[in-house]
Amino acid sequence: MWRIIKWTFLFLFIFQLFYILLLKWVDPPFTLTQLGSLFSGYGLKRDYVPMKDMSSYARLSFIAAEDQLFPDHNGFDWKSINKAMEYNKKKPNRVKGASTISQQVAKNVFLWQGRSWFRKGMEVYFTFMIELLWGKSRIMEMYLNVSEMGPGIFGIEAAAQNYFKKPAKRLNRAEAAMIASCMPNPKRFTVKPMSRYVANRYPWVMRQMVFLQNDPDIQKLLQ
């Protein structure tokens, strides 16, 4: 029995390592979040596109909205994590997150939605692995392809087509900021019809984009 368990764990470890490496070049056929959206009645709209077919404003807007230190950290923003932990201690009935773009990719691609300690531990592992094996450009590309950006709408291409009837490559600064502003709850904070949250937040995102756009490390991700 012990030998069977050992070989099972060894197989699973090798398989997941192979899958992580494969996704460095190949887009995932599906994610658990996408399947959940499909079976829960929200549908599934998606269209994976390479980075060259995404507006630089799309990349910049999500960095500005979600993770301004993305080019510089190793997958974890420890300062924000500590702040979130202190907030959650003071207000246990309200949960504040501090997930980086890398952590969100790890969760969205390999795991499921939830807040269990086991899932969080797995998220740490996969975040470390994709930072090690993929690099920032691929993580950003994957993030913009698999993230939910509206009810049943996954990825920047599907969002651009659904909201503005144009490809992601043609999104302007304001349109990209509107889409980025629906995070972290795109089912509640809708782009069209525009929710009050998005209407109030996207001008702030646009200002942050101006502050960040000349940063040399961010420029590398926009080229």
Short mmCIF file of all heavy atoms in Angstrom, two decimals, residues 65-112:
data_model
loop_
_atom_site.label_atom_id
_atom_site.label_comp_id
_atom_site.label_asym_id
_atom_site.label_seq_id
_atom_site.Cartn_x
_atom_site.Cartn_y
_atom_site.Cartn_z
N ALA A 65 -3.92 48.77 -11.89
CA ALA A 65 -5.08 48.47 -11.05
C ALA A 65 -4.81 47.38 -10.01
O ALA A 65 -5.31 47.45 -8.89
CB ALA A 65 -6.25 48.06 -11.93
N GLU A 66 -4.01 46.38 -10.39
CA GLU A 66 -3.92 45.18 -9.58
C GLU A 66 -2.59 44.94 -8.88
O GLU A 66 -2.55 44.35 -7.81
CB GLU A 66 -4.23 43.94 -10.45
CG GLU A 66 -5.68 43.82 -10.85
CD GLU A 66 -6.56 43.46 -9.66
OE1 GLU A 66 -6.56 42.29 -9.25
OE2 GLU A 66 -7.23 44.37 -9.14
N ASP A 67 -1.48 45.38 -9.51
CA ASP A 67 -0.19 44.96 -8.95
C ASP A 67 0.91 45.86 -9.51
O ASP A 67 1.63 45.49 -10.44
CB ASP A 67 0.08 43.49 -9.33
CG ASP A 67 1.33 42.93 -8.69
OD1 ASP A 67 2.00 43.65 -7.93
OD2 ASP A 67 1.64 41.76 -8.96
N GLN A 68 1.08 47.03 -8.91
CA GLN A 68 2.03 48.00 -9.45
C GLN A 68 3.49 47.59 -9.26
O GLN A 68 4.38 48.14 -9.92
CB GLN A 68 1.77 49.37 -8.81
CG GLN A 68 0.40 49.94 -9.17
CD GLN A 68 0.21 51.37 -8.74
OE1 GLN A 68 1.13 52.03 -8.23
NE2 GLN A 68 -0.99 51.90 -8.93
N LEU A 69 3.74 46.64 -8.39
CA LEU A 69 5.10 46.15 -8.18
C LEU A 69 5.38 44.87 -8.97
O LEU A 69 6.41 44.23 -8.77
CB LEU A 69 5.34 45.89 -6.69
CG LEU A 69 5.25 47.11 -5.77
CD1 LEU A 69 5.45 46.69 -4.32
CD2 LEU A 69 6.27 48.17 -6.17
N PHE A 70 4.48 44.50 -9.88
CA PHE A 70 4.60 43.23 -10.60
C PHE A 70 5.98 43.00 -11.22
O PHE A 70 6.53 41.90 -11.10
CB PHE A 70 3.51 43.15 -11.67
CG PHE A 70 3.63 41.96 -12.58
CD1 PHE A 70 3.43 40.67 -12.07
CD2 PHE A 70 3.94 42.11 -13.91
CE1 PHE A 70 3.54 39.55 -12.90
CE2 PHE A 70 4.06 41.00 -14.75
CZ PHE A 70 3.86 39.73 -14.24
N PRO A 71 6.59 43.98 -11.90
CA PRO A 71 7.89 43.71 -12.52
C PRO A 71 9.01 43.47 -11.51
O PRO A 71 10.06 42.92 -11.86
CB PRO A 71 8.18 44.98 -13.33
CG PRO A 71 6.88 45.69 -13.45
CD PRO A 71 6.14 45.35 -12.19
N ASP A 72 8.81 43.89 -10.25
CA ASP A 72 9.91 43.92 -9.29
C ASP A 72 9.88 42.81 -8.25
O ASP A 72 10.93 42.46 -7.70
CB ASP A 72 9.91 45.27 -8.56
CG ASP A 72 9.95 46.45 -9.53
OD1 ASP A 72 10.79 46.41 -10.44
OD2 ASP A 72 9.14 47.37 -9.37
N HIS A 73 8.71 42.25 -7.96
CA HIS A 73 8.66 41.26 -6.88
C HIS A 73 8.88 39.84 -7.42
O HIS A 73 8.92 39.62 -8.63
CB HIS A 73 7.34 41.35 -6.11
CG HIS A 73 6.11 41.10 -6.92
ND1 HIS A 73 5.87 39.94 -7.61
CD2 HIS A 73 5.01 41.88 -7.16
CE1 HIS A 73 4.72 39.98 -8.22
NE2 HIS A 73 4.17 41.17 -7.97
N ASN A 74 9.02 38.90 -6.51
CA ASN A 74 9.27 37.50 -6.89
C ASN A 74 8.00 36.66 -6.87
O ASN A 74 8.06 35.44 -6.75
CB ASN A 74 10.32 36.88 -5.95
CG ASN A 74 9.83 36.82 -4.50
OD1 ASN A 74 8.76 37.38 -4.18
ND2 ASN A 74 10.58 36.17 -3.63
N GLY A 75 6.87 37.34 -6.98
CA GLY A 75 5.58 36.64 -6.95
C GLY A 75 4.74 37.02 -5.76
O GLY A 75 3.52 36.79 -5.76
N PHE A 76 5.36 37.62 -4.74
CA PHE A 76 4.65 37.95 -3.50
C PHE A 76 5.01 39.37 -3.08
O PHE A 76 6.17 39.75 -3.05
CB PHE A 76 5.03 36.98 -2.38
CG PHE A 76 4.82 35.54 -2.75
CD1 PHE A 76 5.87 34.78 -3.26
CD2 PHE A 76 3.58 34.94 -2.61
CE1 PHE A 76 5.70 33.45 -3.62
CE2 PHE A 76 3.39 33.61 -2.97
CZ PHE A 76 4.45 32.87 -3.48
N ASP A 77 3.98 40.14 -2.74
CA ASP A 77 4.15 41.49 -2.23
C ASP A 77 4.02 41.41 -0.72
O ASP A 77 2.92 41.53 -0.17
CB ASP A 77 3.09 42.42 -2.84
CG ASP A 77 3.24 43.86 -2.39
OD1 ASP A 77 4.09 44.13 -1.53
OD2 ASP A 77 2.50 44.72 -2.90
N TRP A 78 5.13 41.19 -0.05
CA TRP A 78 5.09 40.89 1.39
C TRP A 78 4.55 42.05 2.21
O TRP A 78 3.87 41.85 3.22
CB TRP A 78 6.47 40.49 1.88
CG TRP A 78 6.97 39.24 1.23
CD1 TRP A 78 7.96 39.12 0.31
CD2 TRP A 78 6.44 37.91 1.42
NE1 TRP A 78 8.10 37.81 -0.08
CE2 TRP A 78 7.19 37.04 0.58
CE3 TRP A 78 5.43 37.37 2.21
CZ2 TRP A 78 6.95 35.68 0.51
CZ3 TRP A 78 5.18 36.01 2.15
CH2 TRP A 78 5.93 35.18 1.31
N LYS A 79 4.83 43.27 1.79
CA LYS A 79 4.32 44.43 2.53
C LYS A 79 2.80 44.47 2.50
O LYS A 79 2.15 44.67 3.53
CB LYS A 79 4.91 45.71 1.92
CG LYS A 79 4.57 46.97 2.70
CD LYS A 79 5.29 48.18 2.11
CE LYS A 79 4.98 49.44 2.91
NZ LYS A 79 5.70 50.63 2.35
N SER A 80 2.22 44.23 1.32
CA SER A 80 0.76 44.24 1.20
C SER A 80 0.14 43.04 1.93
O SER A 80 -0.94 43.15 2.50
CB SER A 80 0.35 44.21 -0.27
OG SER A 80 0.75 45.41 -0.91
N ILE A 81 0.84 41.91 1.91
CA ILE A 81 0.35 40.72 2.62
C ILE A 81 0.27 41.00 4.11
O ILE A 81 -0.72 40.66 4.77
CB ILE A 81 1.25 39.51 2.32
CG1 ILE A 81 1.05 39.05 0.87
CG2 ILE A 81 0.94 38.36 3.28
CD1 ILE A 81 2.03 37.98 0.44
N ASN A 82 1.31 41.62 4.66
CA ASN A 82 1.31 41.94 6.10
C ASN A 82 0.20 42.91 6.45
O ASN A 82 -0.47 42.79 7.49
CB ASN A 82 2.67 42.51 6.51
CG ASN A 82 3.76 41.47 6.50
OD1 ASN A 82 3.50 40.28 6.71
ND2 ASN A 82 5.00 41.90 6.28
N LYS A 83 -0.02 43.91 5.57
CA LYS A 83 -1.11 44.88 5.80
C LYS A 83 -2.46 44.18 5.78
O LYS A 83 -3.34 44.47 6.61
CB LYS A 83 -1.06 45.99 4.75
CG LYS A 83 0.04 47.00 4.94
CD LYS A 83 -0.06 48.10 3.89
CE LYS A 83 1.01 49.17 4.11
NZ LYS A 83 0.93 50.24 3.08
N ALA A 84 -2.64 43.26 4.84
CA ALA A 84 -3.90 42.53 4.74
C ALA A 84 -4.14 41.66 5.96
O ALA A 84 -5.27 41.56 6.46
CB ALA A 84 -3.91 41.68 3.47
N MET A 85 -3.08 41.03 6.46
CA MET A 85 -3.21 40.19 7.66
C MET A 85 -3.60 41.01 8.87
O MET A 85 -4.45 40.59 9.67
CB MET A 85 -1.90 39.44 7.90
CG MET A 85 -1.60 38.37 6.86
SD MET A 85 0.01 37.58 7.10
CE MET A 85 -0.27 36.72 8.65
N GLU A 86 -3.02 42.19 9.01
CA GLU A 86 -3.37 43.06 10.12
C GLU A 86 -4.81 43.54 10.01
O GLU A 86 -5.55 43.59 11.00
CB GLU A 86 -2.42 44.28 10.16
CG GLU A 86 -1.00 43.95 10.57
CD GLU A 86 -0.93 43.37 11.97
OE1 GLU A 86 -1.66 43.89 12.85
OE2 GLU A 86 -0.17 42.41 12.19
N TYR A 87 -5.23 43.87 8.80
CA TYR A 87 -6.61 44.30 8.56
C TYR A 87 -7.59 43.19 8.91
O TYR A 87 -8.62 43.43 9.57
CB TYR A 87 -6.77 44.71 7.10
CG TYR A 87 -8.18 45.13 6.72
CD1 TYR A 87 -8.57 46.46 6.81
CD2 TYR A 87 -9.12 44.19 6.26
CE1 TYR A 87 -9.85 46.86 6.46
CE2 TYR A 87 -10.41 44.59 5.92
CZ TYR A 87 -10.76 45.92 6.01
OH TYR A 87 -12.04 46.29 5.68
N ASN A 88 -7.28 41.96 8.50
CA ASN A 88 -8.18 40.83 8.74
C ASN A 88 -8.26 40.48 10.22
O ASN A 88 -9.28 39.97 10.69
CB ASN A 88 -7.72 39.62 7.93
CG ASN A 88 -7.86 39.86 6.43
OD1 ASN A 88 -8.65 40.70 6.00
ND2 ASN A 88 -7.08 39.14 5.64
N LYS A 89 -7.19 40.75 10.96
CA LYS A 89 -7.23 40.52 12.42
C LYS A 89 -8.16 41.52 13.09
O LYS A 89 -8.92 41.19 13.99
CB LYS A 89 -5.82 40.64 13.00
CG LYS A 89 -4.91 39.47 12.70
CD LYS A 89 -3.54 39.70 13.32
CE LYS A 89 -2.58 38.56 13.00
NZ LYS A 89 -1.22 38.82 13.55
N LYS A 90 -8.09 42.77 12.63
CA LYS A 90 -8.90 43.82 13.24
C LYS A 90 -10.37 43.70 12.84
O LYS A 90 -11.26 44.02 13.62
CB LYS A 90 -8.37 45.20 12.83
CG LYS A 90 -6.98 45.51 13.38
CD LYS A 90 -6.48 46.85 12.87
CE LYS A 90 -5.08 47.16 13.39
NZ LYS A 90 -4.57 48.44 12.85
N LYS A 91 -10.60 43.24 11.60
CA LYS A 91 -11.97 43.12 11.09
C LYS A 91 -12.18 41.73 10.51
O LYS A 91 -12.17 41.53 9.29
CB LYS A 91 -12.23 44.20 10.03
CG LYS A 91 -12.10 45.61 10.58
CD LYS A 91 -12.44 46.66 9.53
CE LYS A 91 -12.33 48.06 10.11
NZ LYS A 91 -12.70 49.10 9.12
N PRO A 92 -12.36 40.74 11.39
CA PRO A 92 -12.46 39.34 10.93
C PRO A 92 -13.66 39.06 10.03
O PRO A 92 -13.67 38.08 9.31
CB PRO A 92 -12.53 38.54 12.24
CG PRO A 92 -13.04 39.52 13.25
CD PRO A 92 -12.47 40.84 12.85
N ASN A 93 -14.68 39.92 10.10
CA ASN A 93 -15.86 39.71 9.26
C ASN A 93 -15.68 40.24 7.84
O ASN A 93 -16.52 40.03 6.97
CB ASN A 93 -17.08 40.38 9.90
CG ASN A 93 -17.47 39.70 11.20
OD1 ASN A 93 -17.31 38.50 11.35
ND2 ASN A 93 -17.97 40.49 12.15
N ARG A 94 -14.58 40.96 7.62
CA ARG A 94 -14.25 41.47 6.28
C ARG A 94 -12.89 40.92 5.88
O ARG A 94 -11.93 41.07 6.62
CB ARG A 94 -14.20 43.00 6.28
CG ARG A 94 -15.50 43.67 6.67
CD ARG A 94 -15.34 45.18 6.58
NE ARG A 94 -16.54 45.89 7.04
CZ ARG A 94 -16.66 47.21 7.06
NH1 ARG A 94 -15.66 47.96 6.64
NH2 ARG A 94 -17.76 47.78 7.50
N VAL A 95 -12.83 40.31 4.74
CA VAL A 95 -11.58 39.70 4.29
C VAL A 95 -10.95 40.55 3.21
O VAL A 95 -11.57 40.81 2.18
CB VAL A 95 -11.82 38.26 3.76
CG1 VAL A 95 -10.50 37.66 3.28
CG2 VAL A 95 -12.43 37.40 4.85
N LYS A 96 -9.74 41.00 3.46
CA LYS A 96 -9.00 41.80 2.50
C LYS A 96 -7.86 40.98 1.92
O LYS A 96 -7.08 40.39 2.67
CB LYS A 96 -8.45 43.07 3.17
CG LYS A 96 -7.69 44.00 2.24
CD LYS A 96 -7.23 45.24 2.99
CE LYS A 96 -6.50 46.20 2.05
NZ LYS A 96 -6.06 47.42 2.77
N GLY A 97 -7.75 40.93 0.61
CA GLY A 97 -6.70 40.16 -0.04
C GLY A 97 -5.51 41.01 -0.41
O GLY A 97 -5.54 42.23 -0.34
N ALA A 98 -4.42 40.34 -0.81
CA ALA A 98 -3.21 41.05 -1.25
C ALA A 98 -2.52 40.24 -2.34
O ALA A 98 -1.31 40.16 -2.39
CB ALA A 98 -2.28 41.27 -0.07
N SER A 99 -3.32 39.64 -3.21
CA SER A 99 -2.76 38.76 -4.23
C SER A 99 -2.10 39.56 -5.35
O SER A 99 -2.67 40.51 -5.86
CB SER A 99 -3.86 37.87 -4.83
OG SER A 99 -4.33 36.95 -3.88
N THR A 100 -0.92 39.13 -5.73
CA THR A 100 -0.24 39.70 -6.89
C THR A 100 -0.81 39.11 -8.17
O THR A 100 -1.57 38.14 -8.13
CB THR A 100 1.26 39.39 -6.82
OG1 THR A 100 1.44 37.97 -6.89
CG2 THR A 100 1.88 39.93 -5.54
N ILE A 101 -0.41 39.67 -9.30
CA ILE A 101 -0.81 39.10 -10.59
C ILE A 101 -0.33 37.66 -10.69
O ILE A 101 -1.05 36.78 -11.18
CB ILE A 101 -0.28 39.96 -11.74
CG1 ILE A 101 -1.14 41.23 -11.87
CG2 ILE A 101 -0.25 39.19 -13.06
CD1 ILE A 101 -0.65 42.23 -12.90
N SER A 102 0.88 37.39 -10.23
CA SER A 102 1.42 36.02 -10.28
C SER A 102 0.57 35.06 -9.45
O SER A 102 0.29 33.93 -9.89
CB SER A 102 2.87 36.01 -9.76
OG SER A 102 3.67 36.89 -10.52
N GLN A 103 0.17 35.47 -8.27
CA GLN A 103 -0.68 34.62 -7.43
C GLN A 103 -2.04 34.38 -8.08
O GLN A 103 -2.59 33.28 -8.00
CB GLN A 103 -0.87 35.26 -6.06
CG GLN A 103 0.36 35.20 -5.17
CD GLN A 103 0.15 35.95 -3.87
OE1 GLN A 103 0.36 37.17 -3.80
NE2 GLN A 103 -0.25 35.25 -2.85
N GLN A 104 -2.58 35.40 -8.71
CA GLN A 104 -3.87 35.23 -9.38
C GLN A 104 -3.77 34.27 -10.55
O GLN A 104 -4.69 33.48 -10.79
CB GLN A 104 -4.38 36.60 -9.84
CG GLN A 104 -4.77 37.53 -8.70
CD GLN A 104 -5.25 38.87 -9.19
OE1 GLN A 104 -6.16 38.97 -10.00
NE2 GLN A 104 -4.64 39.95 -8.71
N VAL A 105 -2.66 34.31 -11.28
CA VAL A 105 -2.46 33.35 -12.37
C VAL A 105 -2.35 31.94 -11.81
O VAL A 105 -2.97 31.00 -12.35
CB VAL A 105 -1.20 33.71 -13.18
CG1 VAL A 105 -0.84 32.58 -14.14
CG2 VAL A 105 -1.42 35.00 -13.96
N ALA A 106 -1.59 31.77 -10.74
CA ALA A 106 -1.45 30.44 -10.12
C ALA A 106 -2.82 29.89 -9.72
O ALA A 106 -3.13 28.72 -9.96
CB ALA A 106 -0.53 30.53 -8.91
N LYS A 107 -3.64 30.74 -9.13
CA LYS A 107 -4.97 30.32 -8.69
C LYS A 107 -5.88 30.03 -9.87
O LYS A 107 -6.54 28.98 -9.92
CB LYS A 107 -5.59 31.41 -7.81
CG LYS A 107 -7.02 31.14 -7.38
CD LYS A 107 -7.58 32.29 -6.57
CE LYS A 107 -7.77 33.53 -7.41
NZ LYS A 107 -8.40 34.65 -6.67
N ASN A 108 -5.89 30.93 -10.84
CA ASN A 108 -6.84 30.81 -11.95
C ASN A 108 -6.49 29.68 -12.91
O ASN A 108 -7.39 29.09 -13.53
CB ASN A 108 -6.91 32.13 -12.72
CG ASN A 108 -7.60 33.23 -11.92
OD1 ASN A 108 -8.43 32.96 -11.08
ND2 ASN A 108 -7.24 34.47 -12.19
N VAL A 109 -5.21 29.38 -13.09
CA VAL A 109 -4.80 28.37 -14.05
C VAL A 109 -4.78 26.97 -13.45
O VAL A 109 -5.24 26.01 -14.08
CB VAL A 109 -3.41 28.70 -14.64
CG1 VAL A 109 -2.90 27.57 -15.54
CG2 VAL A 109 -3.47 30.01 -15.43
N PHE A 110 -4.28 26.84 -12.22
CA PHE A 110 -4.03 25.51 -11.66
C PHE A 110 -5.00 25.10 -10.55
O PHE A 110 -5.10 23.90 -10.25
CB PHE A 110 -2.61 25.45 -11.09
CG PHE A 110 -1.54 25.71 -12.11
CD1 PHE A 110 -0.90 26.93 -12.16
CD2 PHE A 110 -1.18 24.73 -13.03
CE1 PHE A 110 0.09 27.19 -13.10
CE2 PHE A 110 -0.20 24.97 -13.98
CZ PHE A 110 0.44 26.20 -14.01
N LEU A 111 -5.71 26.06 -9.97
CA LEU A 111 -6.48 25.75 -8.77
C LEU A 111 -7.94 26.15 -8.93
O LEU A 111 -8.44 26.33 -10.03
CB LEU A 111 -5.84 26.46 -7.56
CG LEU A 111 -4.38 26.07 -7.30
CD1 LEU A 111 -3.76 27.00 -6.26
CD2 LEU A 111 -4.28 24.63 -6.84
N TRP A 112 -8.62 26.28 -7.82
CA TRP A 112 -10.03 26.59 -7.78
C TRP A 112 -10.23 27.82 -6.89
O TRP A 112 -9.34 28.22 -6.15
CB TRP A 112 -10.82 25.40 -7.22
CG TRP A 112 -10.36 25.00 -5.84
CD1 TRP A 112 -10.87 25.40 -4.64
CD2 TRP A 112 -9.25 24.14 -5.52
NE1 TRP A 112 -10.17 24.85 -3.59
CE2 TRP A 112 -9.17 24.06 -4.10
CE3 TRP A 112 -8.33 23.40 -6.28
CZ2 TRP A 112 -8.21 23.30 -3.44
CZ3 TRP A 112 -7.36 22.64 -5.62
CH2 TRP A 112 -7.32 22.59 -4.23
#
